[in-house]
Amino acid sequence: MSSNDKNNKNITLKNITRTVWILSFVSLFTDMASEMLYPIMPIYLKTIGFSIVLIGILEGVAEAVAGLSKGYFGKLSDNSGKRVPFVQMGYTFSAISKPMMALFIFPLWIFFARTIDRIGKGIRTGARDAILSDEATQETKGKVFGFHRSMDTLGAVLGPSLALLYLYFYPEDYKSLFYIAFFPGLFAILASFLLKDKNKTQPKEKKSTSFLVSFHYWKESPVLYRKVVVGLLAFALFNSSDVFLLLKAKQSGLSDTLVIGLYIFYNLIYALCAFPIGILADKLGLKKMFISGLSLFVIVYLGMGLSTNSYVLIGLFLLYGIYAAATEGIAKAWISNITDQKDTATAIGTYAGFQSICAMLASSLAGLIWYQFGANETFIVTGIATILILFYFAFWVKLKEEKSN
């Protein structure tokens, strides 16, 4: 390796602190557990009697429960000055939920287990992202959040790969995978104990926190925050669960193995692109990168609605991975740059909470449209709606406001 290559590597990684590395590995192990199950979840649910409508409602309700808790726990974290306990508790909840899905097949129990998993996400989201924000400067937010997303999504490559390998030797033995998924979740819990809070002092006065804190913060938040989040939530209202993409691939004639393989491929592209796209976003602007990602989303969804060709599907899943890398971490980096540092967990938790509620509506709506009109119409409606949201970000959230980036 030449000296220039070494220097470039050092420049690339020099802002990635020990805390970011640990938190990224925690997310990697958790995502390995979750994503081991995600691509087989719709298949498993259908084998135990869930209809497409019920699957949509399950995903939506689970996300809504997480949403109602994200702003609340984010505010608790901001008020207490602590981040790590929320991270540890959140990842613990997600880990124990995995084997619960296999214990019983009653719909109410499945809803309960899935909800426990999502509550864990609600507890940890604001605090975790606040840690990432504190470990970065305004000029390196895209890089730090992008690196975390890359590591997190690497778990989404390893998890389904292990699931695919297991199902190769034990076809259709979906239930055992829910028990196996507990172990990477356990590693995540153990790794989280390496994290330490920077702020050792307790706040001078303890503040009460309402479960409706997200609505209170919305009224007090900066105008730019509200403008950006309105656009993000409008998009979330049409961006249904990825389960529907997998079901479309299955409906197009792909086998279970190929569906899982396609999902692994998407996550691999996501993992490979999130870090370099984060670096590029710091240079070009977070808004510009986010708009570019939405443009890819439009292409993917319109393509899904108009084609069933296997090769086209592969190309669309590739673009979908790039879209995810250009939007998910970027959105949180953008939010953390336009809000007060002391409110970071609350601001991100509020956004993530409202986003989850929109996801509930989006998944339920997608399930109903699919049931009533078919798969193609579901994707075309989403693609057209996203075009309108693109115009909102391009012309309503003005470039002069990007100085916050």
Side-chain angles (χ1 to χ4, degrees):
M1 181 183 292
S2 67
S3 59
N4 286 337
D5 290 337
K6 290 181 180 179
N7 289 336
N8 289 336
K9 184 178 180 181
N10 289 334
I11 290 172
T12 301
L13 293 175
K14 71 177 183 179
N15 302 113
I16 309 302
T17 65
R18 176 181 180 274
T19 297
V20 174
W21 274 104
I22 294 172
L23 199 53
S24 296
F25 272 109
V26 171
S27 293
L28 184 152
F29 286 127
T30 298
D31 229 43
M32 186 187 303
S34 297
E35 299 296 338
M36 186 182 297
L37 304 176
Y38 192 79
I40 62 106
M41 186 75 74
I43 302 169
Y44 172 69
L45 292 176
K46 291 187 81 171
T47 63
I48 61 175
F50 276 62
S51 67
I52 183 65
V53 175
L54 198 54
I55 289 174
I57 293 173
L58 170 63
E59 288 297 306
V61 169
E63 286 297 334
V65 169
L68 291 173
S69 62
K70 285 174 183 175
Y72 174 75
F73 287 109
K75 185 64 173 176
L76 281 182
S77 177
D78 282 335
N79 285 351
S80 68
K82 299 295 182 183
R83 309 294 190 198
V84 173
F86 294 89
V87 171
Q88 292 170 338
M89 184 182 301
Y91 283 111
T92 298
F93 271 48
S94 291
I96 64 176
S97 70
K98 303 300 185 295
M100 291 174 63
M101 292 285 288
L103 287 176
F104 303 106
I105 62 173
F106 303 118
L108 284 178
W109 178 261
I110 297 294
F111 269 80
F112 175 69
R114 189 84 175 105
T115 300
I116 289 291
D117 177 56
R118 296 297 86 186
I119 288 177
K121 187 171 184 177
I123 294 172
R124 69 180 183 256
T125 294
R128 181 201 63 202
D129 291 336
I131 292 175
L132 292 173
S133 180
D134 290 342
E135 293 294 315
T137 65
Q138 285 210 346
E139 293 73 27
T140 61
K141 289 288 178 72
K143 176 187 292 187
V144 169
F145 277 87
F147 178 79
H148 176 262
R149 293 308 307 169
S150 284
M151 291 289 285
D152 181 279
T153 310
L154 180 58
V157 175
L158 298 175
S161 298
L162 291 174
L164 188 62
L165 182 64
Y166 180 83
L167 291 176
Y168 176 78
F169 292 103
Y170 304 97
E172 299 185 6
D173 184 15
Y174 303 123
K175 184 175 289 190
S176 296
L177 281 173
F178 287 86
Y179 295 114
I180 295 171
F182 172 72
F183 292 99
L186 180 60
F187 293 146
I189 297 171
L190 296 175
S192 72
F193 282 94
L194 297 174
L195 294 168
K196 294 181 180 180
D197 273 313
K198 287 185 175 180
N199 182 15
K200 297 296 183 181
T201 60
Q202 293 289 340
K204 292 183 179 179
E205 56 179 274
K206 294 189 175 181
K207 302 176 183 178
S208 61
T209 302
S210 166
F211 202 71
L212 299 177
V213 65
S214 293
F215 297 98
H216 298 311
Y217 178 73
W218 182 262
K219 296 177 183 178
E220 303 167 356
S221 61
V223 173
L224 180 55
Y225 172 84
R226 293 198 293 271
K227 275 190 174 184
V228 171
V229 171
V230 162
L232 295 175
L233 295 181
F235 174 57
L237 195 57
F238 290 94
N239 184 15
S240 57
S241 170
D242 291 347
V243 164
F244 293 99
L245 292 171
L246 300 178
L247 287 173
K248 177 61 190 294
K250 177 70 175 174
Q251 187 186 74
S252 299
L254 300 184
S255 66
D256 291 353
T257 301
L258 287 177
V259 169
I260 296 174
L262 201 55
Y263 190 68
I264 294 170
F265 173 68
Y266 146 70
N267 279 300
L268 179 60
I269 298 300
Y270 184 178
L272 291 174
C273 292
F275 187 35
I277 283 179
I279 295 172
L280 187 60
D282 286 330
K283 296 178 180 178
L284 300 180
L286 300 176
K287 173 187 164 182
K288 290 179 181 178
M289 185 58 69
F290 187 83
I291 289 176
S292 299
L294 283 190
S295 301
L296 292 177
F297 181 90
V298 170
I299 295 172
V300 170
Y301 266 66
L302 291 181
M304 283 283 182
L306 298 173
S307 177
T308 58
N309 182 278
S310 298
Y311 295 105
V312 172
L313 287 178
I314 293 172
L316 293 175
F317 269 85
L318 183 149
L319 292 179
Y320 195 65
I322 300 173
Y323 137 77
T327 55
E328 294 193 18
I330 298 300
K332 291 182 178 180
W334 193 2
I335 288 172
S336 70
N337 267 1
I338 58 178
T339 51
D340 196 309
Q341 185 178 10
K342 67 180 175 60
D343 296 324
T344 302
T346 306
I348 293 179
T350 295
Y351 155 64
F354 287 141
Q355 181 193 39
S356 296
I357 294 172
C358 289
M360 175 193 69
L361 298 174
S363 293
S364 300
L365 180 62
L368 289 172
I369 294 175
W370 188 311
Y371 181 76
Q372 291 291 335
F373 303 103
N376 294 343
E377 289 75 8
T378 304
F379 292 104
I380 291 173
V381 167
T382 298
I384 293 172
T386 305
I387 292 174
L388 300 177
I389 295 165
L390 268 172
F391 281 105
Y392 171 85
F393 277 113
F395 299 107
W396 186 250
V397 181
K398 302 296 184 181
L399 283 173
K400 64 181 181 180
E401 295 169 334
E402 285 298 283
K403 292 179 181 178
S404 300
N405 286 344

